[in-house]
Amino acid sequence: MTGERKRITPTHRYRNNDKLVGVGNAFWNSSEEHGVAGIVGDLTDGVFHMADGHEFVNFTVCSYLDLDTHPKVIDGAVDSLRRFGVLDHCIPRTRVQTRVLLELEESLGELFGATVISAISTAAASTGLLPLIASGHLGDGTRPLMVFDKNAHVSLGNTKPTCADETEVVTCRHHDLDFLEDMCRTYERVCYVVDGSDSLGGYAPVEELAALQDKYNMLVFYDDSHSLSAYGERGIGYVRSHSPVLDERTITVATLTKGFGAGGTAILLDGYPHATRRLIERFAGPLGYSQKMNAAAVGAALASAEIHRTEELDRLQGKLRANIALFDSLLQTEQAGSTYPIRLVPMSDDTVVDAAQRVFRAGFYTSPVFFPIVARGTAGLRVMLRAGQSAEQITRLCAVLVEAGARPAGIAA
Ligand SMILES: *Cc1c(COP(=O)(O)O)cnc(C)c1O
């Protein structure tokens, strides 16, 4: 080669892998060096067994009702595979499909009172849906200003560059209603993209957002993955329990892997015509060209849906609430008192990985978050409560956490 070859200078308007990898790898390396990441084990009766003989209970798993290991859900997956006779018939469903997804979508539609379209994952669904909203094809034809909440899940934030090729994209402070109203006054249409329930606790202000939806015809795209099953009648989730606007202005996605205990995701729609279903199946990115929920995942989801229709769901939600209350009676966290199953037990940046290691040796996995993954001064151990944890396990965990530096409940800061 002769002459100067060009070096590329990226714009980094919406993403930056130098920063992501640079910051993230230091965190992961430190976690792995302390033995609190990269863990391998076998799960039997709620306990992990490692090759070196160590055993632990996982306190950072999002299966809030333990439906992922429910015998009926496991049987549902196995039976479905035999019933449909094929795991994934690899052809876009828009051309040829078996009844498998239709059966699931009908069941979930009845359960949640919505039109349901399934996808292999929430990440795939959001990757496909958000650019269609950005271009106005999913909506009323107007290209909306896409306003992403600063704390929106990474699977939502990752779509910014694609959305920005179709419309204008901005990021706003967490739940900044004043900013949203300003944007609604300025732009023909606005779409706000936000988690219905946050990964570190708290819920979206759905009623205040509904007022903006009514006043300005604003669209809201909710990702309610953390509250499906764990919250609401029949496990309908936080958004559908509280949002007064359940029509074409509200689009919700919610994973079927967390509380629901199966696999895949549900796109929940109201008030859209049948043509919208076709538009999504054909043009929502991976939904049109990649794999669908397979027959085993569908069978698990159908079995989980059946459990959601019985009083067993109320019982499991009640056990989850009792476990959350027990935890809050023992340890102080900012989230104490919330119905939300996630707690962040505050620790200092310098001690949090050691604390996680100590807790792990005592037989419990909790995941440390610390600088540079979170801001300085907000480090801690993430704990997730589940219906299946015993009172004894929770009490013992809390005792170990206090020994590791956590603050017991009822002691002034
Ligand atoms: C866990 C989670 C996801 C990922 O869900 P998948 O169905 O596994 O893609 C997406 N969004 C939020 C808010 C989550 O908490």
Side-chain angles (χ1 to χ4, degrees), residues 380-393:
L381 296 176
R382 242 157 58 106
V383 173
M384 292 168 200
L385 282 314
R386 288 184 278 116
Q389 292 151 344
S390 69
E392 189 266 335
Q393 287 168 347

Side-chain angles (χ1 to χ4, degrees), residues 267-280:
I267 300 165
L268 302 158
L269 300 172
D270 303 89
Y272 279 99
H274 187 70
T276 301
R277 165 178 276 279
R278 290 286 179 262
L279 181 88
I280 290 173

Side-chain angles (χ1 to χ4, degrees), residues 62 64 119-126 151-156 194-199 222-227 253-258 263-266 340 342 382:
C62 297
Y64 304 118
I120 185 96
S121 72
T122 317
S126 298
N151 293 4
H153 190 261
V154 58
S155 57
L156 304 172
V194 66
D195 292 9
S197 33
D198 294 341
S199 354
Y222 286 111
D223 182 339
D224 209 10
S225 289
H226 273 294
S227 80
V253 291
T255 191
L256 299 175
T257 47
K258 290 185 172 138
T265 200
Y340 199 74
I342 303 181
R382 242 157 58 106

Side-chain angles (χ1 to χ4, degrees), residues 169-188:
V169 170
V170 293
T171 304
C172 74
R173 286 186 305 177
H174 190 42
H175 296 168
D176 191 343
L177 295 164
D178 290 338
F179 177 83
L180 278 172
E181 181 149 26
D182 262 0
M183 292 302 106
C184 284
R185 286 199 204 98
T186 311
Y187 285 82
E188 255 186 307

Side-chain angles (χ1 to χ4, degrees), residues 209-391:
L209 290 170
L212 292 179
Q213 291 181 279
D214 267 337
K215 195 165 170 193
Y216 299 102
N217 199 28
M218 182 174 78
L219 265 169
V220 183
F221 186 94
Y222 286 111
D223 182 339
D224 209 10
S225 289
H226 273 294
S227 80
L228 199 77
S229 305
Y231 191 100
E233 207 174 314
R234 290 175 147 209
I236 200 168
Y238 187 82
V239 169
R240 292 190 74 82
S241 295
H242 296 287
S243 176
V245 177
L246 291 181
D247 58 27
E248 70 280 5
R249 294 168 297 179
T250 301
I251 294 172
T252 306
V253 291
T255 191
L256 299 175
T257 47
K258 290 185 172 138
F260 207 80
T265 200
I267 300 165
L268 302 158
L269 300 172
D270 303 89
Y272 279 99
H274 187 70
T276 301
R277 165 178 276 279
R278 290 286 179 262
L279 181 88
I280 290 173
E281 287 172 355
R282 291 171 187 164
F283 300 109
L287 273 68
Y289 58 71
S290 192
Q291 59 187 298
K292 315 164 279 292
M293 274 179 74
N294 64 53
V298 169
L302 284 169
S304 177
E306 280 315 310
I307 296 170
H308 280 68
R309 291 185 171 91
T310 65
E311 58 183 17
E312 183 173 1
L313 190 86
D314 302 329
R315 204 168 45 70
L316 290 171
Q317 284 183 339
K319 269 216 77 191
L320 173 62
R321 277 196 299 274
N323 282 349
I324 293 171
L326 174 62
F327 185 88
D328 286 347
S329 75
L330 296 169
L331 272 198
Q332 273 185 41
T333 61
E334 240 179 72
Q335 297 80 27
S338 150
T339 53
Y340 199 74
I342 303 181
R343 297 290 180 267
L344 181 72
V345 181
M347 298 271 166
S348 79
D349 280 308
D350 303 329
T351 59
V352 66
V353 204
D354 290 330
Q357 194 172 34
R358 186 167 170 174
V359 171
F360 186 61
R361 287 196 182 127
F364 302 101
Y365 183 76
T366 58
S367 61
V369 291
F370 51 93
F371 183 82
I373 280 285
V374 294
R376 274 192 206 282
T378 60
L381 296 176
R382 242 157 58 106
V383 173
M384 292 168 200
L385 282 314
R386 288 184 278 116
Q389 292 151 344
S390 69

